[in-house]
Amino acid sequence: MVYRQISPDMKQRALVMLQEGWEFEEIAAVLGVSDRSIERWADNYEHKGRVDPPSLNRGRRRLLNAAAVKDLYQLIAETPSLFLDEIGDWLALYHDQPISTTALHNNLQDLGLTRKVLKHTAAQRDEARRNEWVHDVAARFTPNQLVFTDESSKDGRTLLRLYGRAAAGERAVEVVNHVRGQRWSILPAMSLHGYIALRTVPGSVDGGEFFDFIINEVVSVMKLL
């Protein structure tokens, strides 16, 4: 659940409704809060004389204004792999709001922008054509008829960030250009029977290499299944 600050006026109104005979569930439904929150406000008022007593553990209030928060959501959506210091530089430059790394981390947590594993999506991917192909295959073939082949490879390490930030419940996705160094390619073929063929090739696989693999290694095995 994303943190949101509730004003003292709303908390006070909840206590007035309690005094008027409202049930906890009714107040929670009207104000959009939890039963436990109302119980905590009532307990604070009874023992501390106010619904929002200062907390020794809370520290200073958050530093980001509404405009900065709105733009921050957009920034994270477009570039989820930014480091905290890069976000801090952006806030100082574009919103004149310098902020420490620790305070920024706490702000992001409160806004529901959490650190998670970053998924990389190829810029060349065509989602519409991909969905069309999936539906066509499902309509024309049975699982026993399918053999899956693809090129896998081992290459020089691609320097991509593994973690990013996104709103709670959403994946962190960044569109990037994949850069490859020297590599070895592997051509596997897999069916419901497991891997039925495999070829290792130095460098990349061209059309002729792939065609030869299909005809001489994949088709020959399929005839025996």
Side-chain angles (χ1 to χ4, degrees):
M1 180 177 179
V2 178
Y3 170 82
R4 68 184 181 95
Q5 181 148 356
I6 300 175
S7 68
D9 291 342
M10 181 180 289
K11 297 176 182 179
Q12 193 67 48
R13 179 55 186 164
L15 298 189
V16 172
M17 295 171 73
L18 274 177
Q19 296 173 358
E20 293 175 349
W22 288 59
E23 299 292 336
F24 281 99
E25 296 81 2
E26 297 173 330
I27 301 174
V30 171
L31 299 183
V33 297
S34 66
D35 298 357
R36 292 184 60 185
S37 294
I38 300 172
E39 293 175 4
R40 184 173 66 254
W41 302 337
D43 183 73
N44 285 338
Y45 188 79
E46 180 179 354
H47 294 93
K48 301 178 182 179
R50 54 187 294 181
V51 293
D52 58 341
S55 172
L56 297 178
N57 298 323
R58 185 176 297 171
R60 65 174 62 184
R61 289 185 178 273
R62 299 303 174 212
L63 304 178
L64 302 182
N65 58 37
V69 169
K70 179 181 178 180
D71 289 349
L72 183 57
Y73 275 115
Q74 183 66 29
L75 175 71
I76 295 300
E78 294 175 352
T79 316
S81 62
L82 289 174
F83 291 141
L84 285 175
D85 60 335
E86 294 172 328
I87 299 174
D89 291 343
W90 176 84
L91 286 169
L93 179 62
Y94 291 99
H95 286 276
D96 193 23
Q97 289 205 273
I99 184 173
S100 70
T101 301
T102 301
L104 177 58
H105 170 78
N106 292 336
N107 273 260
L108 294 176
Q109 290 285 347
D110 288 348
L111 295 172
L113 298 172
T114 58
R115 187 172 182 263
K116 57 191 71 177
V117 175
L118 184 63
K119 176 185 176 182
H120 296 109
T121 300
Q124 301 88 343
R125 179 168 174 169
D126 188 326
E127 197 65 34
R129 295 185 64 184
R130 184 173 183 271
N131 290 334
E132 181 181 348
W133 175 83
V134 169
H135 287 106
D136 183 66
V137 169
R140 293 173 177 269
F141 301 98
T142 65
N144 288 323
Q145 294 176 291
L146 299 180
V147 174
F148 296 92
T149 64
D150 197 2
E151 175 191 359
S152 183
S153 63
K154 171 65 177 69
D155 54 30
R157 184 177 180 84
T158 302
L159 299 178
L160 297 175
R161 298 176 181 180
L162 300 180
Y163 293 88
R165 287 182 169 80
E170 298 181 6
R171 300 195 69 171
V173 180
E174 183 174 40
V175 178
V176 298
N177 290 316
H178 288 184
V179 179
R180 299 184 176 91
Q182 182 63 37
R183 70 177 182 178
W184 285 80
S185 298
I186 304 172
L187 288 174
M190 185 176 67
S191 71
L192 291 180
H193 302 279
Y195 286 102
I196 62 174
L198 180 67
R199 179 182 292 188
T200 302
V201 180
S204 299
V205 175
D206 58 20
E209 184 79 41
F210 186 76
F211 181 79
D212 182 75
F213 170 68
I214 295 297
I215 296 299
N216 295 311
E217 298 188 34
V218 177
V219 174
S220 61
V221 175
M222 290 176 61
K223 293 179 179 179
L224 303 176
L225 297 179

